[in-house]
Structure formats: structure tokens, C-alpha cells
Amino acid sequence: MKTIALLGSTGSIGTQTLEIVREQRDLRVASLAAHRNIDLLEKQTREFLPELVCVYDEERAKDFRTRVSDLFVKVVSGMEGLVEASSVESAEITVPAVVGMIGIRPTMEAIRAGKDIALANKETLVTAGHLIMPMIREYGVRLLPVDSEHSAIFQCLQGRAGNRIAKIHLTASGGPFRGFSKEQLEKVTIADALRHPNWSMGRKITIDSATMVNKGLEIMEAHWLFDVDYDDIEVVVQPQSIIHSMVEFEDGAVIAQLGTPDMKLPIQYALYYPERRFLPGKRLDFSAIGAITVEKPDPMVFRALDLSVRVGKQGGSAPTVFNAANEWAVAKFLGGEIGFPAITEAVETALSAVPFIDNPSLPEILETERLVYEVLNCQRL
Ligand code: NDP
Ligand code: MG
């Protein structure tokens, strides 16, 4: 029996994690956390009987407490509650599947409490990788990637026998606007951007896939997870989402991980690593696939790609500015306040306006995030 703490249980990754718990029967849920969706959280609490639940929103936490008063469950709220949920004593492994930088503190506290981390929340590693990676070593815990590309790379590295990675080929589906020109991007709607061709995911990451900011964040995530230089990470568009990423070694051999697009595979692999369990679902049928194609992304249209490499190389607080500006802009785009091209423009604006800090501490990261919001709220985009 393995016990997990699950942050973001009502989201896309969270609900798929709970499907695995339901199917496998030897995982126990110690804690759940969500922001506002207490209807689903109540159902999950009744089914999985965690000892602790965090409802981040204080008002809804009060309501939730009344709703589950017939159960033996501690209900907490706010950042302190989220930290308590991430580091609850009985959990061996914490799954940060919240969206955005809100995941940094709870992830750090889970590491401090000695938990292994099955990380979906890439924004945490992008903005605080320089703090998190040394902590992983210091506390002797495992950092297991859940993001499908990084799980693929991790799987390709099993059996590497100490050999150096020469290059990572990070695959991208290209999103709903693959092949679009700049002019075409100016006219796209929220509904267009939310229509991902291959993956069903939360709204924020779906927009990130449409701008390819997601791939930019994943370049930085790969840099931290696998200690690979930015010049050795190349993005390849693989529109069918069959190749989930590839690792090239010094002798030119390229190892790839292939599969149907199903996030339950990387989630389950992280939860049971190094064991591979049966996972129900479709299998690849090579006789039906026909072709697996690859192409180059257009850096002039999807400017976030080159920007992310520049920002990643710069390090310090630059990835925080990149990420926070994107979080701000995606929320504004989804709220109908700005157009699609303004998302990348907001990132560029913030990068030139917010002061750079080398090796920022956690308070400095959070202060940089606040400054980004302040700067962008005063801009006309
Ligand atoms: P969703 O938007 O579907 O879910 C987000 C979850 O986080 C919800 O449960 C939400 O609760 C919760 N949440 C948000 N803010 C808070 C908060 N302040 N306190 C507690 N809980 C909070 O996102 P996804 O599942 O798509 O993505 C989660 C993370 O995983 C992201 O970092 C994303 O980049 C990454 N990821 C996702 C993939 C996918 O396939 N979806 C693939 C690879 C990575 P509520 O429902 O109450 O709002
Ligand atoms: Mg991914």
C-alpha cells in the first residue's frame, strides 16, 4: 500500500490520478486539495476518505466543513492548509497537480518533509528549479516527472548506465494553430484556442499549448530535471503525439518513448516507478497509424519558444517573469480581455520592465510575480 498526497485533485491531472487509485486498489489517499470546486471535492472525499482536505478558498472551506461533518476528516484552507496537505505525515509521495506558481511552497515543504514528488506542476520547477533541485538532493527524495514529454525522457534514460545525454528531442504536437501565420493568429477566438487536437487538459495548459508557451516551459523543465544545457534541447513538432520525446546519446543512438496520448501512463509510471503496471486503454496499432511525421516549429510565429530559451539561459528571476506574465495573460485572454497575440506580447513587455534578480530566494520569486502583475495591470495590450 502506497499513500499519496494529491494537490489539485479536481483538475485534469488530479482526476486522472484518482482514476488510477480507483483502478489499482493498493494506493491510499492521505490528503486532497483544490481551490473552489467543492462539489467534486466532496464526492472525492466520500469515495477516497482522506484524513485531510484543503479547500484553498476560505469561504468555501467553511461550507465544505459543514458538508463533510459526518466524516472523520480535517478541513484546512489557504496556503498554510495547502502546505499541510502536501506534507501530511502518512503520505510517501506528493503529487503537485495544481496549476501555476501556487505550487512552489507546498512542493518545497513536501520535499522538506521527505516526500517523493510526482511533479505535474511544471510552473514550480520553471520558476524555482534552482531552489528545488538542490533540495531534492539534500533531502534524498525522488523527483518523478508526470509531464508526458519528461516522463518519456525519464523512461528513455532507464538503463543509461551513466552515459551522458548528448541531446534531448522534445516533442510538441504543435497545438491547434500549427501551420498558422501571424495574421491568422490575430483572428483566433478563445474557443479555437481551447480546441487541442490530441490532448484533453486543463484550460490554462491548453492555451499554453496553443501559444507554444507550454513547450517553452517544458524546455526549462527539462533543463532542470535532466541537467541538460539549453543548446542541447531541440523542439520537434510531432503532430500525431505518438512520440512523446527522445534522447540522443554520444554515439548518435536515439531512444524514443511512444504510446497513445494518455496522461494516465506518465502519472502511473511516476506513482509506481520503477514498476510498470497494467494500464487499461488503447494500444498503438502500427498497421493503422500509417505515418509518424515530424516538422520544425516556426519560431517567427511562435515567439515563445526562442524567448523561453533566452530566459532559461539568463536564469535568475527571468523564468519567473516569463511564467508569471504568461499566467496573467492567459487569465486575461480566457476572460475575453485581451487577444491571442497579446499573450506573448505581455511576456515580452514584462521581461523588459521587471528588474532582474540573480539567484532569487522564494520571497524574491513571489515579489517578482507580484511586480509582474503590477506592471501588466498598468499596461494597455
Ligand atoms: P486544471 O486546471 O485541470 O486543474 C487545476 C487544479 O488545481 C484544480 O484541482 C484546481 O482546483 C486546483 N487549484 C488551482 N489553484 C489552487 C489553489 N490555490 N489551491 C489548491 N488547489 C488549486 O489543470 P491541469 O490538471 O490541466 O494541470 C495541472 C498542472 O499539471 C499544471 O501545472 C499543468 O501545466 C500540468 N500538466 C497538465 C497536463 C494535463 O494533461 N492536464 C499535462 C502535463 C502537465 P479547482 O478545481 O477547485 O479550481
Ligand atoms: Mg507536456
Side-chain angles (χ1 to χ4, degrees):
M1 195 58 97
K2 206 176 218 180
T3 306
I4 68 168
L6 176 57
L7 313 181
S9 64
T10 52
S12 163
I13 295 290
T15 50
Q16 293 181 84
T17 304
L18 290 176
E19 278 176 42
I20 293 168
V21 174
R22 196 178 286 129
E23 281 153 14
Q24 292 294 337
R25 295 166 175 270
D26 61 353
L27 292 167
R28 195 181 75 82
V29 178
S31 62
L32 294 173
H35 187 199
R36 304 164 60 90
N37 186 354
I38 54 172
D39 289 339
L40 181 54
L41 195 55
E42 183 184 346
K43 283 195 193 115
Q44 294 177 340
T45 302
R46 293 191 180 280
E47 179 178 356
F48 296 99
L49 301 171
E51 63 210 62
L52 186 112
V53 173
C54 170
V55 182
Y56 191 86
D57 184 278
E58 310 269 348
E59 282 307 305
R60 286 181 196 226
K62 283 185 201 150
D63 187 1
F64 189 80
R65 222 168 262 125
T66 319
R67 289 190 189 200
V68 297
S69 56
D70 59 319
L71 302 175
F72 286 105
V73 58
K74 182 175 175 190
V75 180
V76 292
S77 66
M79 181 48 80
E80 293 317 308
L82 201 52
V83 164
E84 209 177 327
S86 75
S87 45
V88 61
E89 174 135 25
S90 64
E92 289 151 69
I93 183 160
T94 296
V95 185
V98 292
V99 57
M101 290 173 65
I102 195 84
I104 303 176
R105 265 198 64 199
T107 304
M108 284 183 157
E109 294 307 325
I111 298 169
R112 255 185 215 114
K115 316 296 181 198
D116 286 336
I117 307 290
L119 188 75
N121 178 228
K122 65 190 86 182
E123 295 91 344
T124 282
L125 209 51
V126 166
T127 55
H130 62 292
L131 303 176
I132 297 221
M133 294 315 291
M135 285 179 73
I136 293 287
R137 288 184 283 272
E138 183 185 345
Y139 290 91
V141 298
R142 293 204 280 212
L143 179 56
L144 302 151
V146 166
D147 209 347
S148 60
E149 296 78 0
H150 305 75
S151 172
I153 295 162
F154 185 58
Q155 292 175 59
C156 295
L157 290 174
Q158 303 305 311
R160 76 194 270 195
N163 287 301
R164 205 185 79 84
I165 299 172
K167 197 171 191 173
I168 284 177
H169 300 271
L170 190 69
T171 55
S173 68
F177 305 139
R178 181 172 66 89
F180 274 41
S181 65
K182 264 185 178 169
E183 294 67 38
Q184 282 173 298
L185 281 190
E186 275 161 26
K187 297 188 202 87
V188 301
T189 64
I190 300 171
D192 296 333
L194 283 173
R195 214 173 292 125
H196 196 281
N198 305 340
W199 297 93
S200 156
M201 309 178 285
R203 284 159 68 86
K204 191 255 174 185
I205 185 175
T206 305
I207 301 302
D208 289 352
S209 302
T211 53
M212 291 196 82
V213 164
N214 182 50
K215 215 43 59 180
L217 296 174
E218 290 185 356
I219 291 173
M220 294 187 254
E221 188 185 10
H223 163 78
W224 288 117
L225 279 170
F226 307 111
D227 193 22
V228 173
D229 286 348
Y230 284 100
D231 291 333
D232 297 330
I233 304 173
E234 192 169 319
V235 173
V236 275
V237 175
Q238 205 288 287
Q240 299 86 17
S241 293
I242 291 172
I243 305 176
H244 297 308
S245 278
M246 304 176 267
V247 177
E248 184 176 319
F249 291 95
E250 295 287 1
D251 58 358
V254 179
I255 312 281
Q257 188 256 330
L258 280 63
T260 54
D262 179 358
M263 281 309 296
K264 281 208 280 182
L265 192 150
I267 300 169
Q268 183 169 292
Y269 190 72
L271 292 179
Y272 285 106
Y273 173 79
E275 190 187 347
R276 284 191 187 271
R277 290 272 176 110
F278 176 75
L279 178 69
K282 275 208 221 143
R283 298 297 187 254
L284 281 183
D285 176 359
F286 285 96
S287 60
I289 290 170
I292 299 175
T293 58
V294 290
E295 57 195 52
K296 272 185 171 233
D298 185 342
M300 302 308 285
V301 178
F302 297 99
R303 292 202 311 281
L305 287 175
D306 285 352
L307 259 183
S308 71
V309 173
R310 198 189 89 203
V311 156
K313 284 183 178 174
Q314 200 181 355
S317 59
T320 295
V321 176
F322 177 97
N323 179 74
N326 178 60
E327 287 186 28
W328 177 92
V330 171
K332 294 281 172 194
F333 172 70
L334 286 171
E337 291 177 56
I338 62 171
F340 186 79
I343 299 176
T344 309
E345 283 162 26
V347 174
E348 286 165 333
T349 303
L351 282 169
S352 55
V354 175
F356 177 79
I357 306 172
D358 201 19
N359 197 20
S361 62
L362 178 57
E364 286 170 328
I365 290 172
L366 300 177
E367 173 58 12
T368 298
E369 181 190 28
R370 195 195 62 74
L371 267 178
V372 167
Y373 275 64
E374 193 178 287
V375 163
L376 291 175
N377 282 330
C378 299
Q379 291 280 329
R380 280 179 66 91
L381 284 159

